[in-house]
Every structure is written in C-alpha cells, then in structure tokens.
PDB file of all heavy atoms in Angstrom:
ATOM      1  N   MET A   1     132.931 -22.623 131.548  1.00  0.00           N
ATOM      2  CA  MET A   1     132.894 -23.986 131.051  1.00  0.00           C
ATOM      3  C   MET A   1     132.335 -24.857 132.163  1.00  0.00           C
ATOM      4  O   MET A   1     132.475 -24.541 133.337  1.00  0.00           O
ATOM      5  CB  MET A   1     134.277 -24.476 130.631  1.00  0.00           C
ATOM      6  CG  MET A   1     134.871 -23.712 129.458  1.00  0.00           C
ATOM      7  SD  MET A   1     136.474 -24.352 128.910  1.00  0.00           S
ATOM      8  CE  MET A   1     135.959 -25.878 128.100  1.00  0.00           C
ATOM      9  N   GLY A   2     131.714 -25.943 131.763  1.00  0.00           N
ATOM     10  CA  GLY A   2     131.114 -26.795 132.765  1.00  0.00           C
ATOM     11  C   GLY A   2     130.954 -28.225 132.312  1.00  0.00           C
ATOM     12  O   GLY A   2     131.216 -28.567 131.153  1.00  0.00           O
ATOM     13  N   TRP A   3     130.530 -29.038 133.256  1.00  0.00           N
ATOM     14  CA  TRP A   3     130.280 -30.445 133.012  1.00  0.00           C
ATOM     15  C   TRP A   3     128.838 -30.785 133.316  1.00  0.00           C
ATOM     16  O   TRP A   3     128.296 -30.359 134.342  1.00  0.00           O
ATOM     17  CB  TRP A   3     131.191 -31.324 133.873  1.00  0.00           C
ATOM     18  CG  TRP A   3     132.631 -31.262 133.486  1.00  0.00           C
ATOM     19  CD1 TRP A   3     133.599 -30.473 134.017  1.00  0.00           C
ATOM     20  CD2 TRP A   3     133.257 -32.043 132.465  1.00  0.00           C
ATOM     21  NE1 TRP A   3     134.802 -30.708 133.394  1.00  0.00           N
ATOM     22  CE2 TRP A   3     134.618 -31.667 132.434  1.00  0.00           C
ATOM     23  CE3 TRP A   3     132.805 -33.019 131.576  1.00  0.00           C
ATOM     24  CZ2 TRP A   3     135.537 -32.235 131.550  1.00  0.00           C
ATOM     25  CZ3 TRP A   3     133.711 -33.579 130.695  1.00  0.00           C
ATOM     26  CH2 TRP A   3     135.056 -33.188 130.692  1.00  0.00           C
ATOM     27  N   TYR A   4     128.228 -31.541 132.435  1.00  0.00           N
ATOM     28  CA  TYR A   4     126.891 -32.067 132.608  1.00  0.00           C
ATOM     29  C   TYR A   4     126.955 -33.574 132.407  1.00  0.00           C
ATOM     30  O   TYR A   4     127.885 -34.087 131.794  1.00  0.00           O
ATOM     31  CB  TYR A   4     125.923 -31.452 131.599  1.00  0.00           C
ATOM     32  CG  TYR A   4     125.692 -29.967 131.788  1.00  0.00           C
ATOM     33  CD1 TYR A   4     126.681 -29.041 131.475  1.00  0.00           C
ATOM     34  CD2 TYR A   4     124.481 -29.496 132.271  1.00  0.00           C
ATOM     35  CE1 TYR A   4     126.480 -27.684 131.644  1.00  0.00           C
ATOM     36  CE2 TYR A   4     124.258 -28.136 132.441  1.00  0.00           C
ATOM     37  CZ  TYR A   4     125.256 -27.237 132.128  1.00  0.00           C
ATOM     38  OH  TYR A   4     125.042 -25.895 132.293  1.00  0.00           O
ATOM     39  N   ARG A   5     125.967 -34.268 132.912  1.00  0.00           N
ATOM     40  CA  ARG A   5     125.950 -35.707 132.720  1.00  0.00           C
ATOM     41  C   ARG A   5     124.536 -36.191 132.452  1.00  0.00           C
ATOM     42  O   ARG A   5     123.561 -35.563 132.847  1.00  0.00           O
ATOM     43  CB  ARG A   5     126.533 -36.442 133.931  1.00  0.00           C
ATOM     44  CG  ARG A   5     125.683 -36.377 135.192  1.00  0.00           C
ATOM     45  CD  ARG A   5     126.388 -37.054 136.347  1.00  0.00           C
ATOM     46  NE  ARG A   5     125.570 -37.093 137.545  1.00  0.00           N
ATOM     47  CZ  ARG A   5     125.983 -37.564 138.713  1.00  0.00           C
ATOM     48  NH1 ARG A   5     127.218 -38.044 138.841  1.00  0.00           N
ATOM     49  NH2 ARG A   5     125.165 -37.565 139.754  1.00  0.00           N
ATOM     50  N   GLN A   6     124.456 -37.312 131.769  1.00  0.00           N
ATOM     51  CA  GLN A   6     123.176 -37.909 131.455  1.00  0.00           C
ATOM     52  C   GLN A   6     123.270 -39.416 131.635  1.00  0.00           C
ATOM     53  O   GLN A   6     124.011 -40.086 130.924  1.00  0.00           O
ATOM     54  CB  GLN A   6     122.732 -37.573 130.034  1.00  0.00           C
ATOM     55  CG  GLN A   6     121.324 -38.031 129.706  1.00  0.00           C
ATOM     56  CD  GLN A   6     120.797 -37.405 128.430  1.00  0.00           C
ATOM     57  OE1 GLN A   6     121.572 -36.970 127.574  1.00  0.00           O
ATOM     58  NE2 GLN A   6     119.485 -37.341 128.296  1.00  0.00           N
ATOM     59  N   ALA A   7     122.520 -39.915 132.594  1.00  0.00           N
ATOM     60  CA  ALA A   7     122.445 -41.343 132.844  1.00  0.00           C
ATOM     61  C   ALA A   7     121.330 -41.936 131.990  1.00  0.00           C
ATOM     62  O   ALA A   7     120.403 -41.228 131.586  1.00  0.00           O
ATOM     63  CB  ALA A   7     122.183 -41.614 134.318  1.00  0.00           C
ATOM     64  N   PRO A   8     121.391 -43.232 131.711  1.00  0.00           N
ATOM     65  CA  PRO A   8     120.340 -43.867 130.904  1.00  0.00           C
ATOM     66  C   PRO A   8     118.953 -43.629 131.484  1.00  0.00           C
ATOM     67  O   PRO A   8     118.723 -43.858 132.670  1.00  0.00           O
ATOM     68  CB  PRO A   8     120.710 -45.349 130.945  1.00  0.00           C
ATOM     69  CG  PRO A   8     122.188 -45.354 131.144  1.00  0.00           C
ATOM     70  CD  PRO A   8     122.452 -44.192 132.068  1.00  0.00           C
ATOM     71  N   GLY A   9     118.043 -43.161 130.646  1.00  0.00           N
ATOM     72  CA  GLY A   9     116.677 -42.934 131.064  1.00  0.00           C
ATOM     73  C   GLY A   9     116.451 -41.688 131.892  1.00  0.00           C
ATOM     74  O   GLY A   9     115.340 -41.474 132.388  1.00  0.00           O
ATOM     75  N   LYS A  10     117.483 -40.872 132.055  1.00  0.00           N
ATOM     76  CA  LYS A  10     117.351 -39.665 132.862  1.00  0.00           C
ATOM     77  C   LYS A  10     117.695 -38.417 132.062  1.00  0.00           C
ATOM     78  O   LYS A  10     118.277 -38.489 130.985  1.00  0.00           O
ATOM     79  CB  LYS A  10     118.242 -39.750 134.104  1.00  0.00           C
ATOM     80  CG  LYS A  10     117.821 -40.822 135.089  1.00  0.00           C
ATOM     81  CD  LYS A  10     118.571 -40.692 136.397  1.00  0.00           C
ATOM     82  CE  LYS A  10     118.059 -41.674 137.427  1.00  0.00           C
ATOM     83  NZ  LYS A  10     118.737 -41.505 138.734  1.00  0.00           N
ATOM     84  N   GLN A  11     117.324 -37.277 132.620  1.00  0.00           N
ATOM     85  CA  GLN A  11     117.598 -35.996 131.992  1.00  0.00           C
ATOM     86  C   GLN A  11     119.061 -35.611 132.170  1.00  0.00           C
ATOM     87  O   GLN A  11     119.718 -36.033 133.115  1.00  0.00           O
ATOM     88  CB  GLN A  11     116.712 -34.906 132.601  1.00  0.00           C
ATOM     89  CG  GLN A  11     115.220 -35.124 132.426  1.00  0.00           C
ATOM     90  CD  GLN A  11     114.415 -34.101 133.181  1.00  0.00           C
ATOM     91  OE1 GLN A  11     114.703 -33.785 134.335  1.00  0.00           O
ATOM     92  NE2 GLN A  11     113.391 -33.563 132.537  1.00  0.00           N
ATOM     93  N   ARG A  12     119.544 -34.804 131.249  1.00  0.00           N
ATOM     94  CA  ARG A  12     120.878 -34.261 131.406  1.00  0.00           C
ATOM     95  C   ARG A  12     120.869 -33.246 132.551  1.00  0.00           C
ATOM     96  O   ARG A  12     119.970 -32.409 132.644  1.00  0.00           O
ATOM     97  CB  ARG A  12     121.337 -33.596 130.106  1.00  0.00           C
ATOM     98  CG  ARG A  12     122.777 -33.135 130.131  1.00  0.00           C
ATOM     99  CD  ARG A  12     123.235 -32.632 128.765  1.00  0.00           C
ATOM    100  NE  ARG A  12     123.170 -33.675 127.747  1.00  0.00           N
ATOM    101  CZ  ARG A  12     123.677 -33.549 126.527  1.00  0.00           C
ATOM    102  NH1 ARG A  12     124.296 -32.436 126.169  1.00  0.00           N
ATOM    103  NH2 ARG A  12     123.549 -34.548 125.658  1.00  0.00           N
ATOM    104  N   GLU A  13     121.860 -33.325 133.414  1.00  0.00           N
ATOM    105  CA  GLU A  13     121.894 -32.469 134.582  1.00  0.00           C
ATOM    106  C   GLU A  13     123.259 -31.813 134.762  1.00  0.00           C
ATOM    107  O   GLU A  13     124.286 -32.351 134.346  1.00  0.00           O
ATOM    108  CB  GLU A  13     121.544 -33.264 135.845  1.00  0.00           C
ATOM    109  CG  GLU A  13     122.529 -34.375 136.166  1.00  0.00           C
ATOM    110  CD  GLU A  13     122.191 -35.135 137.437  1.00  0.00           C
ATOM    111  OE1 GLU A  13     121.247 -34.721 138.146  1.00  0.00           O
ATOM    112  OE2 GLU A  13     122.861 -36.143 137.719  1.00  0.00           O
ATOM    113  N   LEU A  14     123.239 -30.677 135.403  1.00  0.00           N
ATOM    114  CA  LEU A  14     124.475 -29.960 135.703  1.00  0.00           C
ATOM    115  C   LEU A  14     125.275 -30.705 136.756  1.00  0.00           C
ATOM    116  O   LEU A  14     124.735 -31.137 137.774  1.00  0.00           O
ATOM    117  CB  LEU A  14     124.153 -28.554 136.202  1.00  0.00           C
ATOM    118  CG  LEU A  14     125.338 -27.756 136.756  1.00  0.00           C
ATOM    119  CD1 LEU A  14     126.289 -27.372 135.632  1.00  0.00           C
ATOM    120  CD2 LEU A  14     124.850 -26.517 137.494  1.00  0.00           C
ATOM    121  N   VAL A  15     126.565 -30.838 136.519  1.00  0.00           N
ATOM    122  CA  VAL A  15     127.481 -31.390 137.498  1.00  0.00           C
ATOM    123  C   VAL A  15     128.254 -30.259 138.171  1.00  0.00           C
ATOM    124  O   VAL A  15     128.237 -30.109 139.389  1.00  0.00           O
ATOM    125  CB  VAL A  15     128.458 -32.390 136.858  1.00  0.00           C
ATOM    126  CG1 VAL A  15     129.490 -32.860 137.883  1.00  0.00           C
ATOM    127  CG2 VAL A  15     127.702 -33.574 136.277  1.00  0.00           C
ATOM    128  N   ALA A  16     128.931 -29.466 137.360  1.00  0.00           N
ATOM    129  CA  ALA A  16     129.710 -28.351 137.879  1.00  0.00           C
ATOM    130  C   ALA A  16     129.993 -27.361 136.764  1.00  0.00           C
ATOM    131  O   ALA A  16     130.016 -27.723 135.590  1.00  0.00           O
ATOM    132  CB  ALA A  16     131.019 -28.832 138.505  1.00  0.00           C
ATOM    133  N   ARG A  17     130.233 -26.128 137.141  1.00  0.00           N
ATOM    134  CA  ARG A  17     130.501 -25.062 136.190  1.00  0.00           C
ATOM    135  C   ARG A  17     131.510 -24.115 136.806  1.00  0.00           C
ATOM    136  O   ARG A  17     131.510 -23.884 138.014  1.00  0.00           O
ATOM    137  CB  ARG A  17     129.197 -24.333 135.856  1.00  0.00           C
ATOM    138  CG  ARG A  17     129.311 -23.130 134.944  1.00  0.00           C
ATOM    139  CD  ARG A  17     127.925 -22.573 134.658  1.00  0.00           C
ATOM    140  NE  ARG A  17     127.953 -21.314 133.936  1.00  0.00           N
ATOM    141  CZ  ARG A  17     128.016 -20.118 134.512  1.00  0.00           C
ATOM    142  NH1 ARG A  17     128.057 -20.016 135.827  1.00  0.00           N
ATOM    143  NH2 ARG A  17     128.026 -19.029 133.767  1.00  0.00           N
ATOM    144  N   ILE A  18     132.363 -23.552 135.966  1.00  0.00           N
ATOM    145  CA  ILE A  18     133.365 -22.610 136.448  1.00  0.00           C
ATOM    146  C   ILE A  18     133.507 -21.469 135.455  1.00  0.00           C
ATOM    147  O   ILE A  18     133.543 -21.675 134.240  1.00  0.00           O
ATOM    148  CB  ILE A  18     134.723 -23.306 136.699  1.00  0.00           C
ATOM    149  CG1 ILE A  18     135.708 -22.350 137.365  1.00  0.00           C
ATOM    150  CG2 ILE A  18     135.292 -23.882 135.410  1.00  0.00           C
ATOM    151  CD1 ILE A  18     136.944 -23.045 137.908  1.00  0.00           C
ATOM    152  N   THR A  19     133.582 -20.251 135.959  1.00  0.00           N
ATOM    153  CA  THR A  19     133.749 -19.080 135.115  1.00  0.00           C
ATOM    154  C   THR A  19     135.229 -18.830 134.873  1.00  0.00           C
ATOM    155  O   THR A  19     136.101 -19.434 135.496  1.00  0.00           O
ATOM    156  CB  THR A  19     133.118 -17.837 135.746  1.00  0.00           C
ATOM    157  OG1 THR A  19     133.871 -17.456 136.906  1.00  0.00           O
ATOM    158  CG2 THR A  19     131.677 -18.106 136.146  1.00  0.00           C
ATOM    159  N   SER A  20     135.513 -17.909 133.976  1.00  0.00           N
ATOM    160  CA  SER A  20     136.897 -17.576 133.669  1.00  0.00           C
ATOM    161  C   SER A  20     137.622 -16.962 134.862  1.00  0.00           C
ATOM    162  O   SER A  20     138.855 -17.041 134.939  1.00  0.00           O
ATOM    163  CB  SER A  20     136.966 -16.621 132.473  1.00  0.00           C
ATOM    164  OG  SER A  20     136.269 -15.418 132.740  1.00  0.00           O
ATOM    165  N   SER A  21     136.877 -16.371 135.777  1.00  0.00           N
ATOM    166  CA  SER A  21     137.474 -15.772 136.959  1.00  0.00           C
ATOM    167  C   SER A  21     137.613 -16.757 138.115  1.00  0.00           C
ATOM    168  O   SER A  21     138.185 -16.420 139.145  1.00  0.00           O
ATOM    169  CB  SER A  21     136.657 -14.565 137.416  1.00  0.00           C
ATOM    170  OG  SER A  21     135.353 -14.946 137.793  1.00  0.00           O
ATOM    171  N   GLY A  22     137.067 -17.955 137.951  1.00  0.00           N
ATOM    172  CA  GLY A  22     137.229 -18.974 138.964  1.00  0.00           C
ATOM    173  C   GLY A  22     136.028 -19.255 139.839  1.00  0.00           C
ATOM    174  O   GLY A  22     136.099 -20.125 140.717  1.00  0.00           O
ATOM    175  N   SER A  23     134.933 -18.550 139.637  1.00  0.00           N
ATOM    176  CA  SER A  23     133.726 -18.825 140.405  1.00  0.00           C
ATOM    177  C   SER A  23     133.159 -20.178 140.002  1.00  0.00           C
ATOM    178  O   SER A  23     133.108 -20.507 138.822  1.00  0.00           O
ATOM    179  CB  SER A  23     132.678 -17.740 140.182  1.00  0.00           C
ATOM    180  OG  SER A  23     133.138 -16.490 140.647  1.00  0.00           O
ATOM    181  N   THR A  24     132.718 -20.945 140.980  1.00  0.00           N
ATOM    182  CA  THR A  24     132.232 -22.294 140.716  1.00  0.00           C
ATOM    183  C   THR A  24     130.794 -22.480 141.147  1.00  0.00           C
ATOM    184  O   THR A  24     130.291 -21.782 142.029  1.00  0.00           O
ATOM    185  CB  THR A  24     133.100 -23.343 141.420  1.00  0.00           C
ATOM    186  OG1 THR A  24     133.108 -23.087 142.832  1.00  0.00           O
ATOM    187  CG2 THR A  24     134.524 -23.300 140.899  1.00  0.00           C
ATOM    188  N   ASN A  25     130.164 -23.451 140.524  1.00  0.00           N
ATOM    189  CA  ASN A  25     128.794 -23.820 140.845  1.00  0.00           C
ATOM    190  C   ASN A  25     128.688 -25.335 140.722  1.00  0.00           C
ATOM    191  O   ASN A  25     129.050 -25.895 139.688  1.00  0.00           O
ATOM    192  CB  ASN A  25     127.816 -23.126 139.900  1.00  0.00           C
ATOM    193  CG  ASN A  25     126.375 -23.411 140.240  1.00  0.00           C
ATOM    194  OD1 ASN A  25     126.026 -23.550 141.408  1.00  0.00           O
ATOM    195  ND2 ASN A  25     125.530 -23.491 139.224  1.00  0.00           N
ATOM    196  N   TYR A  26     128.202 -25.981 141.780  1.00  0.00           N
ATOM    197  CA  TYR A  26     128.084 -27.432 141.801  1.00  0.00           C
ATOM    198  C   TYR A  26     126.653 -27.866 142.054  1.00  0.00           C
ATOM    199  O   TYR A  26     125.888 -27.161 142.724  1.00  0.00           O
ATOM    200  CB  TYR A  26     128.943 -28.040 142.913  1.00  0.00           C
ATOM    201  CG  TYR A  26     130.429 -27.886 142.756  1.00  0.00           C
ATOM    202  CD1 TYR A  26     131.089 -26.779 143.275  1.00  0.00           C
ATOM    203  CD2 TYR A  26     131.179 -28.862 142.114  1.00  0.00           C
ATOM    204  CE1 TYR A  26     132.458 -26.644 143.148  1.00  0.00           C
ATOM    205  CE2 TYR A  26     132.549 -28.735 141.988  1.00  0.00           C
ATOM    206  CZ  TYR A  26     133.183 -27.620 142.511  1.00  0.00           C
ATOM    207  OH  TYR A  26     134.546 -27.496 142.388  1.00  0.00           O
ATOM    208  N   ALA A  27     126.329 -29.025 141.554  1.00  0.00           N
ATOM    209  CA  ALA A  27     125.100 -29.666 141.992  1.00  0.00           C
ATOM    210  C   ALA A  27     125.246 -29.953 143.488  1.00  0.00           C
ATOM    211  O   ALA A  27     126.299 -30.424 143.925  1.00  0.00           O
ATOM    212  CB  ALA A  27     124.864 -30.957 141.226  1.00  0.00           C
ATOM    213  N   ASP A  28     124.206 -29.651 144.252  1.00  0.00           N
ATOM    214  CA  ASP A  28     124.295 -29.782 145.706  1.00  0.00           C
ATOM    215  C   ASP A  28     124.706 -31.182 146.148  1.00  0.00           C
ATOM    216  O   ASP A  28     125.474 -31.341 147.102  1.00  0.00           O
ATOM    217  CB  ASP A  28     122.959 -29.415 146.351  1.00  0.00           C
ATOM    218  CG  ASP A  28     122.665 -27.934 146.280  1.00  0.00           C
ATOM    219  OD1 ASP A  28     123.613 -27.142 146.099  1.00  0.00           O
ATOM    220  OD2 ASP A  28     121.487 -27.563 146.420  1.00  0.00           O
TER     221      ASP A  28
END
C-alpha cells in the first residue's frame, strides 16, 4: 500500500510505499 499526491497543475507523484513485510520506499 502506498501514498501518492497531486498538487494543482502537477503530475501525481509517489510519496511513500510499504509492502506487507514492511519494506518501504520514499520519494527522495
């Protein structure tokens, strides 16, 4: 599961993601 965001006039982008085992991935 993860979170994405979209600001006005911008593309939707990845914020953070986490797997069922706990591995995470963040926007730098």
